[in-house]
Amino acid sequence: MAAQAELRWAILVIAIVVFLLGMVVYMSLHWALMPPARIETIDPTTLHLAGEFTEGNLGTAIEPDGSVTVRVIGQQYSFTPQCLLLPANTPVRFRSTSSDVVHGFIISGTNVNVMLEPGYISTFEATFKTPADRVMPCHEFCGVAHAAMWARVRVIDKKDFFKQAGKERRLSCV
Amino acid sequence: MFDSKRLVLAHFWVASIGFLIAAVLGEWQMYVRSPLHAWISNSELYYRSVTAHGAAMAYVFPTLIAMGFGYAIAELALKQPLIGVRWAWIGFALVVLGTVTAMVPVSMGLASVLYTFYPPMIANPFYYIGIVLVVVGSWIWVALMSINLHAWKKSHPGEPIPLAMFASVAGAYLWAWTSVGAAIEILFQILPVALGFKSTIDAGLARVFFSWTLHAIVYFWLMPAYIAFYALVPRAIGGRLYSDTMGRIAFILFLVFSMPVGIHHLFQDPQVGWGIKFLHTVFTGIVSVPTLLTVFTICASVEIAGRLRGGKGPFGWIAALPWKNPMMLAVAFSFVMLGFGGAGGLINMSYQLDFAVHNTQWITGHFHLIFGGAIVIMYFAIAYDLWPHLTGKALSDVRLMRIQLWLWFVGMIVMTFPWHYVGILGMPRRMAYFDYGHPAISPEALSVTITFVGGLLLVASAILFIVILLRGHIGNRISLPIFQFSVPVHPPTRLPAALNSFALWITLMIALSIVNYGYPIAQLITLKQSSVPAIPVSVQR
Ligand code: HEM
Ligand SMILES: [Cu+2]
Ligand SMILES: [Cu+2]
């Protein structure tokens, strides 16, 4: 009886192993056929001089196609901008990086959670359901004053947001 | 026969003292970041402490326990004198030397980069050199475990390797390959910068190398506990091991599958593509299989003990178990914590849910429960089980041991449950202080205070543990029966080569790691423009 139970377990285990090896083969073929996932790099030493992360370009922007993008950088020990102004019920594309060490952030009460690494651009999309004021702490140890690195996020009504956006090129609530 | 007593004792004592010091530091951290204490004026001290606590608990303590327990097993299970005792002492000396070398700059505040390093932050080079020495010391242990096994195999052709030894060697090989990730990161990326030969470093690539170590190191930590489940628990509580084969399969699965999953630590990272993340998620599901097998087998073995002791009916055997026996208590507590921790682990593992908890206090709560709780409580049980054989003296204060185990269990629950909770509320980890007056944070204040209280119980338990071990040296001399490992219901007489050797599994382990890590590493190495200036922590801006 014990031997039989054992046998069943062993068969199960073997099935799992075979499945996994199948996965590996499948994924390898898949990659061989697909272009590698795009990983965006950027030079952190020239962030402020040129390109999309210059100071005047940070904050929330309406792109020519009408979509909303927010650009944020993390540095020891703050974010720029320190307060993100975002529209509710609108897909928002985040583009973010670090100008020195590894940082990260979460936005309280949401599923936004990302790492910022110098040399790489982190992008993702999020939609915030309701207008609210939220906190946005850095969540990766980045040096002695890591605990001081908190930013804010203000999600406002979509209409108000787009009204303001007509007046300014980049929005924030600093 | 047990010739290497002093060797094993040395490992256990240094481990235990390091553990006690680190536990006190942990509780200090709990205190200063709680509402009970005003904002710490010099937060650098907090990170000094977390670096020391983390490095001691993650690298030094479990490594010494695995090494000491491994040497004991090599001698007791193979019933032959340990080959290479001199080398074993050299390995031990390297671990001690490495610990001191690393901790000096840490205590001076020159290496507050935590146990995870995370370049481009760069600390004093001696911190990294110290860690490398610890790892090199442990590699000597790996080699000795392998050499002892092979010598035994030569003189016992075709015989089944005793399960305890089989598992220990699996753990050693696992560690050898796992530690390579961090070793590459330190030797080829970090040290050239820390020593001033280079000034830039690829932070994303470094995280990939570190993840190779960071996940599987967890299985290295849990090996001694799992070996105790299979090889000590059934014997200590008067039962039989339900299945020797299942034990071997579990350890083989750990060996093969714990490396190619580490990128689940990088779900939120920009330098790894989604395909790799998905692949690693799938594999992460698989590494839960050996734990499920173990839970099944050990519960069945415990049931056998209950029935042998006269327990009847579907639950009567539980009441019949020897609850006064510390090993029984430890394994029960361990399973409860493993159960809760495992449920939490499923959340971390799923790509979607992980976004709610990554790098929050949930994570620290989770690994304190699993590692500090379920695994470390078995380290205590192992020490209690071996101690009389090491000292030759009775470890008679069983009541004190029970109190110690109860305190650890209750303390862990009290500490980690609210710790998980504040994590769900979005409290980030590794923070020296919190603004509890802020409306977004004030709801977390009470929970943080409770975690501090749990920590107090744990410190009390840690002190008791040391007291019990000390008293073990002054007890009455006793003559002990020879050390026994668990006897399986069906002791194996002949085993297929696959269950009695490692060549196939090591090949598979390396092949899977190369598939799962080769692609992202190659991709990052060939990327242009991804190295960034190093930021030395000693010249904070
Ligand atoms: C008296 C018992 C303990 C207390 C009070 C305690 C407390 C703490 C605290 C407060 C932190 C810092 C968390 C943060 O800032 O995010 C921490 C980190 C850590 N603890 Fe413990 N701990 C204890 C026992 C243990 C044990 C037994 C282990 C493992 C064997 C362990 C392993 C770790 C590790 C690896 C870290 C590093 C975390 C990091 O760098 O973020 N701790 N502990
Ligand atoms: Cu930070
Ligand atoms: Cu992991």
Side-chain angles (χ1 to χ4, degrees):
Chain A
M1 179 220 106
Q4 271 212 339
E6 262 177 43
L7 193 67
R8 276 200 299 275
W9 275 107
I11 290 172
L12 176 75
V13 168
I14 291 168
I16 289 166
V17 174
V18 169
F19 168 74
L20 275 176
L21 294 177
M23 282 289 310
V24 173
V25 172
Y26 171 79
M27 292 301 289
S28 318
L29 289 177
H30 196 63
W31 285 321
L33 300 176
M34 274 209 340
R38 214 163 93 83
I39 291 168
E40 290 182 77
T41 57
I42 188 162
D43 183 352
T45 55
T46 55
L47 279 185
H48 57 292
L49 299 177
E52 74 169 293
F53 292 101
T54 48
E55 181 124 29
N57 208 35
L58 298 174
T60 316
I62 315 251
E63 302 292 338
D65 66 358
S67 66
V68 179
T69 304
V70 54
R71 294 183 177 80
V72 196
I73 60 174
Q75 65 257 311
Q76 287 172 326
Y77 296 99
S78 63
F79 292 97
T80 314
Q82 266 290 85
C83 182
L84 308 184
L85 189 68
L86 303 172
N89 284 313
T90 314
V92 177
R93 169 143 296 274
F94 280 73
R95 291 183 59 79
S96 195
T97 187
S98 158
S99 65
D100 42 39
V101 299
V102 178
H103 301 275
F105 62 78
I106 40 182
I107 298 180
S108 63
T110 73
N111 258 356
V112 172
N113 189 325
V114 68
M115 301 302 305
L116 310 184
E117 287 162 33
Y120 297 90
I121 300 177
S122 306
T123 64
F124 62 94
E125 220 169 76
T127 303
F128 301 87
K129 293 226 173 60
T130 47
D133 280 337
R134 304 190 175 281
V135 286
M136 185 177 112
C138 172
H139 73 0
E140 186 52 273
F141 173 69
C142 52
V144 289
H146 162 60
M149 192 166 162
W150 292 66
R152 285 171 298 133
V153 175
R154 175 165 297 157
V155 181
I156 61 172
D157 189 71
K158 198 172 169 173
K159 260 198 267 115
D160 300 341
F161 177 86
F162 281 93
K163 207 184 291 161
Q164 270 198 40
K167 287 181 245 145
E168 289 157 81
R169 205 174 75 88
R170 296 289 177 265
L171 287 107
S172 73
C173 41
V174 178
Chain B
M1 74 178 246
F2 191 0
D3 298 334
S4 316
K5 288 176 189 154
R6 288 189 41 220
L7 179 71
V8 178
L9 268 178
H11 282 79
F12 271 80
W13 265 119
V14 174
S16 306
I17 289 167
F19 160 76
L20 178 65
I21 297 170
V24 172
L25 287 177
E27 185 58 357
W28 178 79
Q29 292 154 210
M30 278 292 179
Y31 174 61
V32 294
R33 67 190 195 116
S34 78
L36 303 170
H37 185 277
W39 282 18
I40 183 167
S41 53
N42 178 4
S43 53
E44 196 273 323
L45 283 178
Y46 181 83
Y47 297 113
R48 241 184 248 199
S49 176
V50 178
T51 306
H53 174 84
M57 290 297 202
Y59 297 140
V60 181
F61 172 50
T63 303
L64 283 170
I65 296 286
M67 289 168 74
F69 192 32
Y71 291 135
I73 288 171
E75 203 167 296
L76 295 170
L78 298 183
K79 302 192 181 5
Q80 67 182 24
L82 187 70
I83 300 165
V85 176
R86 164 122 23 111
W87 278 102
W89 279 108
I90 294 174
F92 172 73
L94 281 176
V95 174
V96 174
L97 179 70
T99 307
V100 174
T101 307
M103 288 305 172
V104 168
V106 169
S107 57
M108 291 165 69
L110 300 175
S112 301
V113 293
L114 310 193
Y115 84 108
T116 43
F117 317 135
Y118 292 150
M121 255 189 289
I122 295 291
N124 183 288
F126 286 102
Y127 175 57
Y128 309 108
I129 292 171
I131 305 265
V132 169
L133 290 179
V134 170
V135 173
V136 171
S138 72
W139 283 346
I140 293 181
W141 167 75
V142 173
L144 288 177
M145 292 304 286
S146 179
I147 289 167
N148 276 275
L149 177 64
H150 281 94
W152 181 89
K153 271 186 142 176
K154 240 200 192 115
S155 52
H156 300 75
E159 283 182 38
I161 303 167
L163 179 59
M165 187 64 183
F166 184 83
S168 235
V169 174
Y173 290 150
L174 180 145
W175 172 239
W177 184 239
T178 298
S179 51
V180 168
I184 294 175
E185 183 198 3
I186 293 184
L187 295 176
F188 295 103
Q189 288 198 281
I190 296 180
L191 269 180
V193 178
L195 292 170
F197 300 122
K198 268 186 74 192
S199 61
T200 62
I201 189 163
D202 187 328
L205 179 61
R207 284 173 65 86
V208 171
F209 278 125
F210 193 72
S211 79
W212 163 349
T213 295
L214 184 58
H215 187 77
I217 197 174
V218 173
Y219 298 101
F220 171 60
W221 296 336
L222 67 70
M223 275 301 164
Y226 275 45
I227 296 170
F229 288 157
Y230 284 98
L232 302 184
V233 167
R235 182 264 291 147
I237 64 171
R240 292 280 161 74
L241 177 60
Y242 178 72
S243 167
D244 180 89
T245 310
M246 212 36 79
R248 282 166 209 268
I249 293 177
F251 289 106
I252 288 170
L253 288 174
F254 277 132
L255 181 61
V256 174
F257 289 116
S258 34
M259 246 76 55
V261 305
I263 284 183
H264 67 216
H265 291 259
L266 308 182
F267 280 161
Q268 288 77 7
D269 280 38
Q271 82 284 26
V272 183
W274 66 267
I276 296 284
K277 287 175 184 170
F278 173 72
L279 185 66
H280 282 244
T281 313
V282 173
F283 275 81
T284 306
I286 303 314
V287 286
S288 59
V289 171
T291 290
L292 295 176
L293 293 180
T294 301
V295 169
F296 170 80
T297 307
I298 301 308
C299 286
S301 311
V302 172
E303 179 181 346
I304 294 174
R307 301 223 181 270
L308 285 176
R309 294 168 59 90
K312 296 262 171 345
F315 297 109
W317 61 272
I318 297 177
L321 289 170
W323 288 107
K324 296 216 140 107
N325 182 327
M327 186 66 86
M328 183 67 235
L329 212 53
V331 71
F333 289 155
S334 179
F335 271 38
V336 173
M337 292 188 278
L338 206 60
F340 285 120
L346 290 178
I347 291 183
N348 308 347
M349 177 182 106
S350 50
Y351 186 79
Q352 297 300 328
L353 291 175
D354 188 57
F355 280 79
V357 296
H358 171 75
N359 264 356
T360 66
Q361 298 280 350
W362 166 284
I363 301 298
T364 29
H366 171 71
F367 70 70
H368 278 85
L369 181 59
I370 288 259
F371 176 25
I375 295 173
V376 169
I377 208 164
M378 292 310 295
Y379 291 0
F380 300 147
I382 292 167
Y384 293 156
D385 199 70
L386 284 181
W387 220 248
H389 295 269
L390 297 173
T391 60
K393 300 191 175 152
L395 203 55
S396 44
D397 213 338
V398 185
R399 211 173 76 92
L400 212 56
M401 291 185 223
R402 285 202 300 269
I403 295 174
Q404 189 267 327
L405 295 170
W406 267 107
L407 273 174
W408 193 259
F409 173 66
V410 175
M412 253 320 149
I413 300 288
V414 173
M415 180 168 86
T416 57
F417 278 34
W419 209 347
H420 281 79
Y421 174 67
V422 293
I424 293 180
L425 294 183
M427 190 180 221
R429 66 187 282 198
R430 297 175 158 176
M431 290 273 174
Y433 51 81
F434 293 94
D435 178 4
Y436 292 105
H438 192 290
I441 302 172
S442 58
E444 294 152 10
L446 177 64
S447 301
V448 177
T449 307
I450 299 173
T451 57
F452 165 76
V453 174
L456 283 181
L457 301 180
L458 292 173
V459 170
S461 174
I463 294 171
L464 258 189
F465 175 62
I466 300 291
V467 168
I468 294 168
L469 294 190
L470 274 178
R471 286 172 56 150
H473 285 273
I474 53 169
N476 298 325
R477 277 217 162 269
I478 44 168
S479 66
L480 286 153
I482 51 167
F483 192 91
Q484 292 278 348
F485 291 94
S486 314
V487 180
V489 177
H490 301 289
T493 46
R494 277 264 172 274
L495 282 172
L499 293 180
N500 207 35
S501 60
F502 292 101
L504 169 66
W505 305 118
I506 290 176
T507 314
L508 203 56
M509 162 181 93
I510 294 178
L512 280 178
S513 313
I514 287 176
V515 170
N516 280 16
Y517 268 100
Y519 181 85
I521 289 173
Q523 194 184 17
L524 289 175
I525 286 180
T526 51
L527 266 187
K528 279 194 270 304
Q529 207 202 37
S530 54
S531 283
V532 301
I535 313 254
V537 286
S538 45
V539 276
Q540 281 300 338
R541 301 186 281 175

